[in-house]
Amino acid sequence: MKAKLRNITITLDENLARWARVEAARRDTSVSRFLAGILREQMGEKNQYADTVGAALARESFPNADGPYLTRVAAHERPSRMERLVSEIDDAVRESTATGTVPVDADTKRMAIKLATLLPASVPIPEVAFDPDGEISFDWLGPANKIFSVSIDRSGRLAYAGRFGEKKKNNGVEQLSDTCPPEIIQGIERAAS
Amino acid sequence: MQNAISASGEHPTKLVRFIFSRRQYGVQKLRPKPSAFLPPPNLPTSAFGIDGLDEEGIWWIADNVVAKQSQRDPPRARADILSAAVVEAQLTVIPDPTAHPRHVNICGWPVEKEKQLAIAQDLCAAAELHIR
């Protein structure tokens, strides 16, 4: 049976609307379908979370434990993808101050968060590290030694390199703007495939 | 243990790069990340020759030389790599026994960050990660 469709009007700021149009065009789909896909993915994550919590609550507590196995569900709410990534960036900045050769500064952190914001939800979450020169790097470690790395500096300069096989490599530079450069998205997808 | 460390002054065939941060290696894939090899600005990448050393000897350097000289906690992991792989990546291994007889510098890094990343990825692919 065909699902019943409903029209909803949403209001976006200009930057977000432009990003949505570009991302939709890149995927060869409409803005409406693109946004519906994001919402569907969010709904799936919520349902999966509810199932996981339900299963955990149904389990018996460990021997000698006081009370039920899980009592404060709110304290264990799974952080969103973006929250996790920002937290990783925060930790990397803190760690760089303690152990890095050049600490990551506030501008570089801001640019790293902006890049994280612009990554499409369809690509895997990167592993976050700090470089000895004070830049933040995102790495996507794929199967068979494939890897894609992006280092971002305080001006939003994105230096990237990909290694997708012994002879399949690339590298280059892009400037961060209001959209994630296609070269970056393609590199992530190649490393993850 | 100290006696096991010899000053050869020659190019070692096997090197170790000590890793201080868990962010510089992937736990799931058990691979070092490029940031583990990238050089500090205008400096070489520091490493040690490990020819003839056993596990204990390698970690002895980590704890008693690297951690002490850098005044940091002991390294959490290490990446072992052949000198040949470093040379294949268009870098050079230069013995630098001033700090320690086994200390070497990995030199010849290009200035461009994207090229440094590409080379560091090659080193990661050739290296073997050991986590404590």
Side-chain angles (χ1 to χ4, degrees):
Chain A
M1 195 172 75
K2 201 172 178 182
K4 194 175 176 183
L5 302 177
R6 173 170 293 183
N7 284 329
I8 295 176
T9 303
I10 59 170
T11 305
L12 305 174
D13 68 52
E14 188 52 43
N15 282 345
L16 193 54
R18 192 184 312 120
W19 176 81
R21 280 195 295 273
V22 171
E23 288 300 308
R26 215 172 48 77
R27 290 166 172 76
D28 197 24
T29 188
S30 65
V31 171
S32 173
R33 284 186 180 168
F34 172 59
L35 295 178
I38 293 174
L39 291 173
R40 202 171 290 117
E41 189 179 297
Q42 286 289 312
M43 186 174 74
E45 283 189 10
K46 292 270 187 222
N47 289 343
Q48 189 184 19
Y49 172 63
D51 290 344
T52 305
V53 170
L57 286 170
R59 288 173 61 186
E60 289 184 6
S61 57
F62 288 121
N64 303 323
D66 294 329
Y69 189 56
L70 277 179
T71 56
R72 297 176 62 193
V73 177
H76 296 276
E77 270 185 14
R78 192 174 64 170
S80 73
R81 172 190 167 94
M82 194 56 209
E83 283 171 337
R84 270 186 287 163
L85 206 36
V86 171
S87 168
E88 286 288 303
I89 293 168
D90 274 338
D91 286 349
V93 171
R94 258 194 303 275
E95 213 177 313
S96 81
T97 308
T99 60
T101 309
V102 179
V104 175
D105 64 24
D107 287 337
T108 304
K109 178 185 170 183
R110 194 164 46 80
M111 288 297 172
I113 291 174
K114 183 177 178 184
L115 174 60
T117 310
L118 294 173
L119 290 173
S122 57
V123 302
I125 293 183
E127 296 192 21
V128 181
F130 54 90
D131 293 346
D133 59 4
E135 297 186 3
I136 290 261
S137 58
F138 289 178
D139 297 297
W140 287 264
L141 278 63
N145 261 352
K146 286 191 278 189
I147 182 170
F148 188 73
S149 307
V150 181
S151 287
I152 186 160
D153 74 2
R154 62 203 316 266
S155 70
R157 182 181 186 273
L158 303 169
Y160 67 88
R163 193 180 196 279
F164 316 109
E166 193 63 43
K167 304 280 181 193
K168 297 175 185 169
K169 303 173 190 177
N170 69 5
N171 66 73
V173 177
E174 292 292 328
Q175 185 63 38
L176 190 61
S177 62
D178 289 335
T179 58
C180 187
E183 290 79 2
I184 303 295
I185 296 169
Q186 285 160 12
I188 298 168
E189 288 170 346
R190 284 184 75 185
S193 64
Chain B
M1 198 75 252
Q2 182 101 41
N3 294 335
I5 300 168
S6 63
S8 65
E10 296 171 4
H11 283 70
T13 57
K14 287 174 78 177
L15 306 176
V16 64
R17 168 74 172 161
F18 291 110
I19 300 173
F20 288 90
S21 168
R22 69 167 178 84
R23 301 193 169 278
Q24 292 174 329
Y25 57 87
V27 178
Q28 285 186 341
K29 305 284 182 190
L30 284 177
R31 279 150 54 184
K33 295 187 202 170
S35 55
F37 284 105
L38 287 174
N42 305 314
L43 288 170
T45 295
S46 179
F48 286 82
I50 54 172
D51 290 351
L53 286 183
D54 58 11
E55 285 287 306
E56 194 186 348
I58 296 170
W59 288 119
W60 188 93
I61 293 180
D63 295 338
N64 296 284
V65 180
V66 182
K68 280 186 181 169
Q69 286 182 357
S70 61
Q71 296 184 317
R72 297 194 228 177
D73 289 337
R76 291 166 169 263
R78 67 175 214 254
D80 294 359
I81 188 167
L82 294 175
S83 287
V86 176
V87 172
E88 198 173 322
Q90 309 298 314
L91 300 174
T92 51
V93 178
I94 299 176
D96 173 37
T98 49
H100 185 273
R102 287 183 177 271
H103 185 251
V104 299
N105 286 324
I106 298 177
C107 305
W109 291 92
V111 176
E112 299 91 341
K113 183 66 182 279
E114 66 277 13
K115 290 179 181 167
Q116 290 184 357
L117 279 175
I119 289 173
Q121 287 180 346
D122 285 340
L123 299 183
C124 290
E128 190 178 300
L129 181 71
H130 297 261
I131 302 173
R132 267 184 155 167

